[in-house]
Amino acid sequence: MVITIDGPAGAGKTTVSRGLADRLGYRYIDTGALYRGVALAARKKRIATDDDIGLEALCRDLRLRFIRNADGCRLYDGDDDIEDQIRTPEMSMLASAISARSVVRRFLLDVQRQFGREKGAVFEGRDMGTVVFPDADLKFFLEAPLEVRARRRHRELNGRSDQSLDGVLKDMQRRDHNDQTRVLAPLKPAADAVVINSENLTADAVVERMMMEIKMLEAKLRNHGSTEGS
Ligand code: DC
């Protein structure tokens, strides 16, 4: 199966996607990391977020790939491990700005679909169920109130940034606004997505809830197969 998990920052997508992929023995692909990878390269080369020609050339030269090691999945550009560099508040905002550009979305659409050619994967992002994999077997949309998401992100950043809780909340609000109002592939649940509010659920509980949906789908497919065969 191809399973998609979309939602805003801090809704718990990463922990849940990893947990679900582990349970199923699937690959897990964090597509936000790819946008962050483009943003980091643009900053290093001083390419502005509205310089479409510069961004197009930049994308052509990028060699983004995920390498799995004991710490999980890390993003590389060629031989450079860029995982730590892409996880800063600055890269969050820049990735959000750059993700509104059609040259970048077009480039990453191909990259993401390549990853999806082999089935058995959980994709997390903003437009996985709406645009990248509209025919995914199962789509989830994970949400939680802004304040809850900001508190979670602030805790996660602990030690890596001195940003205050209020700063994290304001950045998140701006990023939500950018991601939801952009013209191309805005953040929204797919019409056929299962929407889960993670506010009062642990990550394990969300994974359980998703596993229930997967089992229901598997049973439906089995039934369908047996009625077709009879
Ligand atoms: O999931 P994340 O916080 O790492 O994503 C960083 C930014 O990348 C996010 O604010 C919007 C963009 N993004 C996107 O436009 N489409 C995706 N599928 C994933 C991320």
Side-chain angles (χ1 to χ4, degrees):
M1 287 193 196
V2 166
I3 297 174
T4 61
I5 304 184
D6 289 308
K13 298 188 302 293
T14 303
T15 316
V16 164
S17 305
R18 273 194 199 132
L20 188 66
D22 279 353
R23 282 281 290 270
L24 296 166
Y26 279 16
R27 286 171 305 140
Y28 150 71
I29 292 124
D30 169 6
T31 62
L34 301 172
Y35 286 91
R36 289 169 183 267
V38 175
L40 179 71
R43 202 207 45 193
K44 283 183 176 164
K45 297 215 160 134
R46 297 177 188 283
I47 296 169
T49 51
D50 59 355
D51 175 2
D52 286 337
I53 294 172
L55 287 173
E56 196 164 15
L58 177 83
C59 286
R60 264 201 309 271
D61 288 345
L62 273 175
R63 294 288 170 266
L64 296 177
R65 60 200 176 122
F66 289 105
I67 295 186
R68 195 173 284 278
N69 69 11
D71 301 331
C73 223
R74 300 184 66 86
L75 185 69
Y76 279 67
D77 181 10
D79 293 326
D80 299 331
D81 179 341
I82 55 171
E83 183 64 31
D84 294 332
Q85 296 172 64
I86 62 170
R87 300 291 165 194
T88 63
E90 184 200 354
M91 281 309 120
S92 301
M93 291 310 295
L94 200 57
S96 179
I98 239 167
S99 70
R101 309 305 297 184
S102 67
V103 279
V104 174
R105 295 211 81 83
R106 249 197 330 265
F107 166 70
L108 287 182
L109 185 67
D110 289 343
V111 173
Q112 293 165 117
R113 286 190 175 151
Q114 285 293 333
F115 282 125
R117 280 163 69 131
E118 286 169 55
K119 293 249 172 170
V122 177
F123 285 88
E124 80 150 270
R126 300 291 189 286
D127 61 338
M128 294 298 102
T130 49
V131 174
V132 182
F133 298 110
D135 298 327
D137 300 279
L138 203 46
K139 303 175 184 178
F140 294 102
F141 191 88
L142 208 53
E143 60 183 16
L146 173 67
E147 292 72 19
V148 174
R149 295 188 282 116
R151 269 201 304 277
R152 284 181 187 157
R153 185 49 53 88
H154 187 246
R155 260 200 313 270
E156 275 166 26
L157 281 174
N158 195 14
R160 281 189 292 124
S161 156
D162 52 13
Q163 206 178 23
S164 67
L165 173 59
D166 191 49
V168 171
L169 189 140
K170 290 214 168 91
D171 271 7
M172 203 170 251
Q173 200 167 26
R174 257 197 304 153
R175 206 141 70 90
D176 282 356
H177 179 77
N178 288 348
D179 296 348
Q180 285 161 353
T181 58
R182 67 178 179 225
V183 177
L184 296 163
L187 168 66
K188 61 173 180 195
D192 50 352
V194 177
V195 179
I196 301 176
N197 185 326
S198 70
E199 180 179 6
N200 296 311
L201 296 175
T202 61
D204 284 346
V206 176
V207 171
E208 281 312 321
R209 170 89 180 70
M210 290 176 166
M211 286 302 296
M212 222 171 68
E213 294 289 339
I214 291 167
K215 284 178 189 147
M216 270 159 42
L217 175 65
E218 282 171 347
K220 204 156 92 186
L221 294 175
R222 263 199 310 274
N223 265 339
H224 187 64
S226 60
T227 44
E228 270 197 346
S230 61

